[in-house]
Every structure is written in structure tokens, then in C-alpha cells.
Amino acid sequence: MKAIVFEQHGSPDVLKYIDVPQPAIKPNEVLVRVKACALNHLDLWVRLGLPGVPIPLPHIPGSDVAGEIAQVGSEVTSVRVGQKVVLAPGVTCGKCPACVSGLDNRCRYFTNLGYMIDGGCAEFVRVPEVNCLPYPENLSFEEAAAVPLVFQTAWHMLVGRAQLQPGEDVLILGASSGVGSAAIQIAKFFGARVIATAGTDEKLQKAKRLGADHGINHKSQKIRAGTATWDESIASLAPSGRLVTCGATTGFDARIDLRFLFSRQLSLLGSYMGTKSELYTVMKLVAAGRLKPVVDRVFPLSQAAAAHAYLESSSQFGKVVLRV
Ligand SMILES: [Zn+2]
């Protein structure tokens, strides 16, 4: 099969479009013919290499997949060959206390497609049967692939961790990111007032079309995003405010003034991916047209390197997707 493979970490040109053997499935797995694979910032980290994260090489990246079932293992009962599917990106053990209580994003064996295992930037990908989600028939493959990782992450941040309440004010940093464009819609769905930041006025207009009530251009006004935004993010919190973060794109060193933390009764919340249960809820709302993936640009699989460079330039609004 054709696949995007890298044998060493580095700039986008380490991504090679080559022939590799089709994956062999286990009894509890399915083989999916990939139709579209959306990129995430995670793909850039995986390609660049992360300290202390031994990505197996050579490696096929890609976490967000929509496609059709091509083959099923002998123990598979819930999907059939030819069925359209969207895949949950998180692969877990399925047996530990976290997994069986539905908190699978706390599984110690948690990984994503395309992270510690091969992903969907290929004609075929193998996944456990339990990762197959119902396909939202109102969406194209490119749109469907743009949903899982970012909507699951944004849902877990706002609903699972921050327990967003109707009428609250939400500041969303980076409206043009995949997570940002999902978070605006989810926050509005819960009846919040949304203030979104972006680096251009054009992106802020798009954020408002998605439902944001107010926009802040972080190039011209104070508020930037990671280490770069931390102090201002803390300062932006209302008394009893919650700060929830799902990454460290601009760096991982942060300091906190404990006087503000206790006297203003602030909460600092980390959030990592989301649960499959949350993803089922998201997919139901997507199928009903209540939440919509935002696809910025589609590249053919063979041009994955150009797609990575484009995502790295931060000029997109929403998702960059590879068509297979
Ligand atoms: Zn587990």
C-alpha cells in the first residue's frame, strides 16, 4: 500500500510517500481503507520528535481517520466489510480500571493512532474494533476525519474538566486551531459567552461566524498562547475562574503566583484527549448538525509534507486534511 513514512525525525521533508506492506490485523481488529486523514498539531510533534518519547521508526503518522471497513478479524461482531466508519484516535488496553469505568483517556497504555503506533496517513490502517464509531452521513470523508481528536479534546476540556455552566464567560486562545474552532461551538452549545483570540482580523471574523461573541487580535492586543500566554491567562481569570490547558505549544515552563491562586480561588486544570464516551456524544451532535467540523484545506496524501508545512505556518483556520 501507499503510505507516508518517516525514518528519522526532522522537517517536513522527512515525510516520504512510499510503498509499504499492508498491516496484518489481529482477531479483535479491523482493517480500514482510509479515505481521509486529518492532521493535528500532534503530527508535527511526532515528526519533529519529543524528548523522552521513543516513537517507533520507521513510522506512519496520522490520528484522525475516516474510511471504510476493508477486513474484519475473527472476533469482530459490531462492524462489517464495506461499512463507513470514523475512528476514535485513542487506543487503550480496554481492561484496566480506568478503561472499564469509561475513563479510557486515563489508561496507562493510552496512545493515539499515529503516535506510538502506526496511523492513518496510508491507504490502510489497522485498529481495534472498539475504535470504530458510527459514521455521520451528513459529512464527506474529509469533514468526518476533521472531527474526532479536536472535538473530543475540546469537549473534555470544557465539559469533562471545566464543567462549563450556562451563561459563563469562556476565553478561547487560538480560535483558528482545530481545538479552538471546536471549543467555540461547544461553548456556545452550552450557552456560554465566548471571547476568542486569533492572530489576524480575518480569522477573528471566521471565529465570529462560528459563534464567538467577541474577538481579540493577539498580535495587536495583549493575550498570546503555552508559556507565552500563561501569565496573561492567569491574569484573565475571574474570581473562582478555571484555566484548562491541553498542551504546551509555546513551551512548558510556567510559574504561578500562589497569592492569586488562593485568594482568587482559581482552578488550574490539565486535560488530555477525551474519553470514547465523550466522542460518542460529539459524533451524535455532529450527525445532528449541531456541531460542525471546520475544514480549511485538503491536500492529497502524496503531498503530506506540504500539508505539514502549511499547518506549521499557522495560516489555517480549522483543519488541514489529507485525501487518500
Ligand atoms: Zn486501560
Side-chain angles (χ1 to χ4, degrees):
M1 67 173 185
K2 292 287 186 199
I4 296 296
V5 179
F6 61 88
E7 294 185 348
Q8 62 190 68
H9 295 292
S11 58
D13 58 15
V14 301
L15 300 172
K16 306 294 182 199
Y17 182 62
I18 58 170
D19 286 299
V20 296
Q22 200 170 297
I25 56 171
K26 295 178 184 166
N28 66 339
E29 291 180 336
V30 299
L31 188 70
V32 173
R33 184 185 305 277
V34 180
K35 296 289 189 176
C37 183
L39 297 185
N40 292 284
H41 214 94
L42 177 65
D43 293 284
L44 307 183
W45 291 120
V46 167
R47 192 203 72 223
L48 285 163
L50 291 160
V53 182
I55 306 287
L57 299 175
H59 188 68
I60 302 174
S63 302
D64 269 332
V65 173
E68 288 171 356
I69 303 284
Q71 196 186 331
V72 298
S74 58
E75 293 172 7
V76 170
T77 55
S78 65
V79 289
R80 56 186 163 65
V81 171
Q83 186 177 329
K84 290 159 80 173
V85 283
V86 181
L87 299 182
V91 176
T92 68
C93 81
K95 302 167 191 171
C96 70
C99 281
V100 297
S101 58
L103 303 168
D104 49 306
N105 61 334
R106 296 187 199 170
C107 175
R108 65 181 294 192
Y109 300 106
F110 185 100
T111 190
N112 275 305
L113 290 175
Y115 189 46
M116 299 306 285
I117 54 176
D118 278 342
C121 288
E123 288 179 304
F124 295 93
V125 64
R126 75 179 175 96
V127 284
E129 172 187 14
V130 294
N131 282 63
C132 296
L133 301 167
Y135 189 88
E137 288 295 342
N138 53 332
L139 300 190
S140 67
F141 283 117
E142 291 80 12
E143 291 169 323
V147 174
L149 196 146
V150 293
F151 272 90
Q152 166 183 261
T153 299
W155 189 279
H156 190 64
M157 292 175 81
L158 288 170
V159 186
R161 299 293 283 137
Q163 299 183 2
L164 182 61
Q165 302 297 314
E168 288 192 307
D169 294 337
V170 181
L171 173 66
I172 295 171
L173 302 186
S176 63
S177 71
V179 172
S181 59
I184 291 170
Q185 297 179 64
I186 293 167
K188 289 311 293 182
F189 180 78
F190 279 86
R193 184 175 73 123
V194 171
I195 305 153
T197 77
T200 69
D201 289 341
E202 189 195 348
K203 287 180 174 180
L204 289 174
Q205 284 308 318
K206 290 182 178 174
K208 285 183 179 172
R209 283 203 286 277
L210 278 181
D213 299 285
H214 303 284
I216 297 175
N217 186 324
H218 63 223
K219 290 267 160 64
S220 54
Q221 295 179 60
K222 266 193 138 186
I223 269 291
R224 288 151 304 150
T227 300
T229 58
W230 183 257
D231 290 344
E232 290 164 28
S233 298
I234 301 281
S236 304
L237 290 172
S240 300
R242 288 96 83 202
L243 185 158
V244 55
T245 180
C246 68
T249 305
T250 66
F252 45 77
D253 274 331
R255 56 179 290 284
I256 178 82
D257 186 328
L258 295 174
R259 294 170 298 179
F260 289 109
L261 183 68
F262 80 80
S263 66
R264 302 180 70 190
Q265 307 198 59
L266 307 179
S267 299
L268 306 178
L269 302 167
S271 189
Y272 185 61
M273 300 294 295
T275 67
K276 279 197 189 68
S277 155
E278 289 170 322
L279 198 42
Y280 270 96
T281 305
V282 161
M283 295 312 292
K284 192 167 77 176
L285 292 169
V286 166
R290 307 290 300 273
L291 300 173
K292 294 188 174 74
V294 181
V295 175
D296 176 87
R297 198 164 154 189
V298 178
F299 291 77
L301 178 65
S302 58
Q303 289 176 27
H308 271 231
Y310 177 65
L311 181 59
E312 227 152 30
S313 75
S314 294
S315 34
Q316 87 289 353
F317 187 95
K319 300 293 290 175
V320 179
V321 181
L322 300 174
R323 180 184 289 132
V324 182

